[in-house]
């Protein structure tokens, strides 16, 4: 897995999202899943008009 350097502000924001000592990997995976779900919803939203 590639290493990624994060700014201190980004780490603070991720820490604020942590629940029950989640790892950063779990948080980032969840954020990516949310993004992909929203992107899918937005891309298909206009097709049904």
């Amino acid at each position: 897995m590639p290493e990624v350097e994060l700014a201190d502000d980004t780490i603070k924001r991720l820490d604020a999202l942590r629940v029950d000592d989640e790892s950063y990997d779990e948080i980032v995976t969840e954020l990516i899943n949310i993004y992909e779900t929203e992107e899918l919803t937005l891309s298909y939203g206009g097709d049904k008009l």
Side-chain angles (χ1 to χ4, degrees), residues 22-36:
E22 283 180 306
S23 70
Y24 290 125
D25 186 54
E26 291 170 320
I27 294 170
V28 171
T29 299
E30 185 174 345
L31 292 172
I32 291 170
N33 289 339
I34 291 168
Y35 175 80
E36 288 175 341

Side-chain angles (χ1 to χ4, degrees), residues 1-42:
M1 177 167 287
E3 287 189 30
V4 178
E5 289 186 38
L6 301 173
D8 290 337
D9 290 341
T10 303
I11 293 172
K12 288 178 187 175
R13 291 175 70 186
L14 288 172
D15 285 339
L17 295 172
R18 292 174 86 180
V19 176
D20 297 328
D21 296 325
E22 283 180 306
S23 70
Y24 290 125
D25 186 54
E26 291 170 320
I27 294 170
V28 171
T29 299
E30 185 174 345
L31 292 172
I32 291 170
N33 289 339
I34 291 168
Y35 175 80
E36 288 175 341
T37 300
E38 291 298 318
E39 184 68 25
L40 182 65
T41 301
L42 293 174

